[in-house]
Amino acid sequence: MREPDRIIRLKTVLARTGLSRSTIYRKIAEGTFPPQIKISSNGTGWHESEINGWIADPISWRPSGNSDEVR
């Protein structure tokens, strides 16, 4: 049985990727980093699997086409 995909917050994404906050948001705008998803009225996070995929291969990472991303 597969475990559900966790939602991780910005602090964890920053620690795992080593990128700065501004670099992450610039890469999201460029389409080269996984977009965040809305998890509450004032909060966002990322699917852990998307971040792990980006970390494994940042050059060839492509968006998965999820419809729940924040724009």
Side-chain angles (χ1 to χ4, degrees):
M1 191 164 123
R2 222 178 108 168
E3 290 188 29
D5 198 9
R6 289 181 11 170
I7 302 297
I8 56 176
R9 301 295 300 265
L10 180 60
K11 186 175 182 178
T12 305
V13 173
L14 293 171
R16 286 197 184 172
T17 63
L19 300 174
S20 70
R21 176 190 300 249
S22 59
T23 299
I24 286 174
Y25 287 114
R26 179 177 46 80
K27 287 182 165 295
I28 290 170
E30 294 170 349
T32 59
F33 194 83
Q36 67 272 39
I37 58 168
K38 193 161 187 68
I39 58 176
S40 70
S41 59
N42 293 322
T44 61
W46 283 262
H47 285 286
E48 186 175 35
S49 62
E50 286 282 316
I51 298 304
N52 290 341
W54 184 89
I55 290 170
D57 194 3
I59 300 299
S60 64
W61 178 87
R62 294 289 175 255
S64 63
N66 290 344
S67 61
D68 57 354
E69 61 194 44
V70 174
R71 295 195 187 249

